[in-house]
Amino acid sequence: METVLKATNIVKYFKEPEAFQVLKHVSFEVKKGEFLSVVGKSGSGKSTLLYVLSTLDTDFTGSLEIRGEKLNGWSQNALAAFRNEHLGFVFQFHYLLPEFTALKNVMLPALKLGRYSEEEVEERAMNKLRMMDMQDFALKLSSKLSGGQQQRVAVARALINDPDIIMGDEPTGNLDKTNSQIIFDIFNRLAKENHQTIITVTHDTDFASASDRIIEMQDGQILAK
Amino acid sequence: MNWKLSFGIAITHIATKKKQSIVAMLGVLFGISMFIVMISFMTGVNRFLEDMAMDNTPHIHIYNPLTINEDKIIGQTDSSKNAWYVVHHQRPKNELAKIKNGLLMASLIEKIPEVKGVVPQVSSQVFFNNGPIQIPATISGIDVRKQDELFDLGSKMEEGRLDDLLKGSDDVILGRGLAEKSGVRVGDKVSVTTPEGYNLLLKVVGIFSYGIVTLDDTKSYATLATVQKVLQRDPSYVTDLNVKLYDMQQASAIKARLKAQLPGIYLEDWKEANAAILAGEKIRNIMTGVVSFTLLLVAGFGIYNIMNMNIVNKMKDIAILKATGFQGKDITAIFLLESIIIGLAGGLLGLLFGFAFSYMLSVTPFPAGTFFRINTFPVNFIPVHYVLGVVFGFATTLFAGYFPALKASRVDPVQIIRG
Ligand SMILES: Nc1ncnc2c1ncn2[C@@H]1O[C@H](COP(=O)(O)OP(=O)(O)O)[C@@H](O)[C@H]1O
Ligand SMILES: [Mg+2]
């Protein structure tokens, strides 16, 4: 299997409130179609690492390669376009646009990409919502949904452009066992059937141990397995 | 860039923040409508004063002013004799008011292609006698037909007709105020006394009104021959030539040309004659500019503030949009479009309200006192002002919205998402 993501010697400091090294020479590779879980104690740098991998955080040293492209030094605009097309992201605090319906939230990244017509995008978005069992809430304002429902919509949004890599920062953090299982099954299927790569930070040990591979972080370093 | 998408998001933002959007829009609405009212009224006043002044002002006025010769006549005598001559209080000659060969000059000036016509005139101070009371006034002898053709005197007639002056001799028409002060009506006779003491009985055949009290209280017209007779002058006696041009903007240039050809004759163009009105116009224009600028500035600040606040409240949304692939310019477009939509809506409504206010003003009675005869506020309705209003409103909101939008585009998503 080919490598879809390659991080080499990632080092990141926070300067505020005092100089503090969050990531200490982190290096690893992820293969296409792999379902990877990142675990570790709170404060070990999992979220920080994920933001670096997602190209949102560019303030680090070391090299990041996704789909064989070295992304260091890319402009913010180029990175945004890259994220739009190739990366899906589920944030720790779900973050939907509150003024828009669930459906519209899912549609927006696809409308931005412009690969499909608006009608097709809507249909695809409905399909993704159906996958998450959220079709009945499609036309509800996202601010009117519960935390768990918002998280499921956020997952649907992450899937809308059929990205190569889906990253999640505790995507099941707000969900009960059943719904966590649903998300796990979906991720697993995306990895196995579509060869999409999944990288999730999780506290859920069942979730992690059922995935293909686990990376454990401690004090900004990957623990050797 | 996907404008449709940005537009859709902008509209959603506006619709969900109705109150804020309406407040911002009201700012623009107020600014633009006041701008329209202001400029319509100010240019209306300018036009009113100009029209009024130009009705009665020749484009070029040729006359002989009563000036005292500064070099004493006695100084022109032989000064080598080492003697003293003292002249106290030198007086002007009696003939000074006369333009030499005035009628000939008039016909020559009329041949200049830019000149529409010349009306020779005999003017003098006179007294109209109302019993023992003498009312000071001026009487102008005119070529009635030409005066009407060039200065539209016929349209100023309130009673009688201008042509009635031509029917008999010793006829006169009076300004409305002058007639009232003299206690005469059409058909009455009125006695006129010249400064030289000549006296003549004239028949009032009409009453006119310029709508300017200072003119209507003092002016009277008769034929050239009648006034020459009142003044006991010969038919070549002319004191003023009133020149009308096809294009009044050429007055200065033509005046300069005439001046070179007619040394010793005094010429005055309409700009000099109406310097006070033009100065007032300048002041009003400056005022309009300053107030309009202030209004637009206030409207702009309103939009700027509200958009800034809006963007602070939408930091999370901006971060999300960017994280899911929207670029800086998409974000700029979204928030700029919000400003533009608010600005255009406010601007167009502002035009509507501005028009409505202007219209209401234009039918509101004007408290002109006794100085001007005017019934309602003078207001212009000029499409260019409305176009200007939209353009200014648009430019202001674009400018005011640009900086917040730029700020929005620079939001670093990871800082917000990290929490
Ligand atoms: N913006 C920040 N500024 C300074 N320190 C930060 C910031 N964000 C996180 N940290 C610190 O970096 C470390 C790693 O944080 P994080 O990556 O969120 O850990 P995790 O997701 O594994 O719980 C923590 O000690 C945290 O306090
Ligand atoms: Mg975390």
Side-chain angles (χ1 to χ4, degrees), chain A residues 42-43 46-48 51 92 169-170 201 203:
Chain A
S42 184
K46 307 182 296 293
S47 296
T48 307
Y51 295 136
Q92 193 163 3
D169 195 351
E170 314 212 9
V201 168
H203 272 120

Side-chain angles (χ1 to χ4, degrees), chain A residues 57 83-84 99 112 118, chain B residues 4 314 322 324 330 418:
Chain A
D57 191 349
R83 280 196 295 277
N84 185 231
E99 300 100 333
K112 168 61 195 159
E118 196 164 337
Chain B
K4 194 179 158 218
K314 286 210 160 37
K322 282 190 142 188
T324 57
D330 298 314
R418 209 183 264 136

Side-chain angles (χ1 to χ4, degrees), chain A residues 12 14 48 51 56-57 76-78 80-81 83-84 89 91 93-100 104-105 108-109 111-112 114 118 157 161, chain B residues 1-2 4-5 8-9 12-13 16-17 314 316-330 412-414 416-419:
Chain A
K12 177 167 176 72
F14 279 123
T48 307
Y51 295 136
L56 281 175
D57 191 349
Q76 288 300 332
N77 280 341
R83 280 196 295 277
N84 185 231
F89 211 98
F91 304 100
F93 305 107
H94 33 84
Y95 287 122
L96 296 174
L97 300 180
E99 300 100 333
F100 292 85
K104 197 78 197 220
N105 264 285
L108 280 176
L111 292 174
K112 168 61 195 159
E118 196 164 337
R157 181 180 62 193
N161 284 341
Chain B
M1 179 148 43
N2 191 336
K4 194 179 158 218
L5 180 57
I9 296 176
T12 307
H13 282 172
T16 46
K17 284 264 183 286
K314 286 210 160 37
K316 268 186 170 186
D317 300 46
I318 295 167
I320 282 299
L321 286 170
K322 282 190 142 188
T324 57
F326 283 72
Q327 300 178 353
K329 60 187 181 203
D330 298 314
D412 181 5
V414 78
I416 283 123
I417 288 169
R418 209 183 264 136

Side-chain angles (χ1 to χ4, degrees), chain A residues 33-53:
Chain A
E34 198 173 12
F35 185 168
L36 177 72
S37 292
V38 180
V39 299
K41 289 209 186 69
S42 184
S44 56
K46 307 182 296 293
S47 296
T48 307
L49 175 63
L50 211 60
Y51 295 136
V52 167
L53 299 183

Side-chain angles (χ1 to χ4, degrees), chain A residues 147-167:
Chain A
Q149 290 170 330
Q150 291 194 29
Q151 196 143 22
R152 283 187 280 163
V153 174
V155 174
R157 181 180 62 193
L159 304 181
I160 187 69
N161 284 341
D162 296 328
D164 296 297
I165 307 179
I166 297 148
M167 300 185 189

Side-chain angles (χ1 to χ4, degrees), chain A residues 74-92:
Chain A
W74 280 35
S75 74
Q76 288 300 332
N77 280 341
L79 288 175
F82 186 85
R83 280 196 295 277
N84 185 231
E85 193 172 357
H86 303 299
L87 302 182
F89 211 98
V90 186
F91 304 100
Q92 193 163 3

